[in-house]
Amino acid sequence: MYEGVIQHLIDELGRLPGVGPKGAQRIAFYLLAADPADVRGLAAALIEMTERVRFCKTCGNVAEAEECRICRDTRRDPTIICVVEDPKDVAAVEKIREFRGRYHVLGGAISPIDGVGPDDLRVKELMTRLADGVVTELILATNPNLEGEATATYIARLVKHMDVRVTRPASG
């Protein structure tokens, strides 16, 4: 519809989750009218994120070092692991300020329709973390939808033979 740089920007913005063609066009024209220093700041933040942010080698949460701040925190209870689908779920649990254990981010949920199976998730890494016997409770905080329930059920069956209490947060 537009030409050159502006259409390229609209196309790129439209690839973001939750941003459709009209939303992408609105954002592009907002940025076009914005203070150039603000736009440069946004661009710099995006570049800095791609260069500095990675996934924690232990839990899979976002981090700027080998391990995230939660895994490095010695005050956290290493006997409890809360299993979540995505890093944004860690942020949601942390916002409540009640949980003092550790996390494990799966990187999604089992979804045969989308071609996502257990091997596509960080399930093996979770089993490795459980192997040393330190963890006594596993909280399966996957989303309360079909995929999240299937993932929680799968993990619960995997750890059934281990001496680990498996719980699921209430929802509703």
Side-chain angles (χ1 to χ4, degrees), residues 48-68:
E48 185 178 24
M49 178 205 54
T50 62
E51 292 173 349
R52 294 183 52 193
V53 177
R54 62 187 81 165
F55 294 100
C56 175
K57 71 175 186 171
T58 303
C59 73
N61 192 18
V62 291
E64 289 188 34
E66 288 275 321
E67 285 191 312
C68 69

Side-chain angles (χ1 to χ4, degrees), residues 45-109:
L46 290 169
I47 291 167
E48 185 178 24
M49 178 205 54
T50 62
E51 292 173 349
R52 294 183 52 193
V53 177
R54 62 187 81 165
F55 294 100
C56 175
K57 71 175 186 171
T58 303
C59 73
N61 192 18
V62 291
E64 289 188 34
E66 288 275 321
E67 285 191 312
C68 69
R69 66 174 177 77
I70 295 170
C71 287
R72 290 190 317 260
D73 188 346
T74 57
R75 297 168 297 177
R76 293 283 186 152
D77 185 350
T79 66
I80 304 171
I81 293 180
C82 180
V83 178
V84 296
E85 292 179 22
D86 298 301
K88 68 181 183 320
D89 301 325
V90 171
V93 175
E94 284 295 291
K95 191 181 257 186
I96 299 167
R97 297 184 181 262
E98 293 293 324
F99 181 66
R100 299 301 305 156
R102 307 267 170 117
Y103 292 93
H104 188 82
V105 180
L106 293 170

Side-chain angles (χ1 to χ4, degrees), residues 131-169:
D132 63 8
V134 171
V135 176
T136 59
E137 183 178 359
L138 200 61
I139 302 169
L140 300 177
T142 54
N143 294 328
N145 56 23
L146 187 62
E147 293 84 3
E149 293 294 336
T151 304
T153 301
Y154 176 80
I155 292 171
R157 286 185 184 157
L158 273 182
V159 302
K160 194 174 192 174
H161 69 281
M162 297 178 159
D163 190 24
V164 176
R165 188 173 93 188
V166 177
T167 59
R168 188 116 166 93

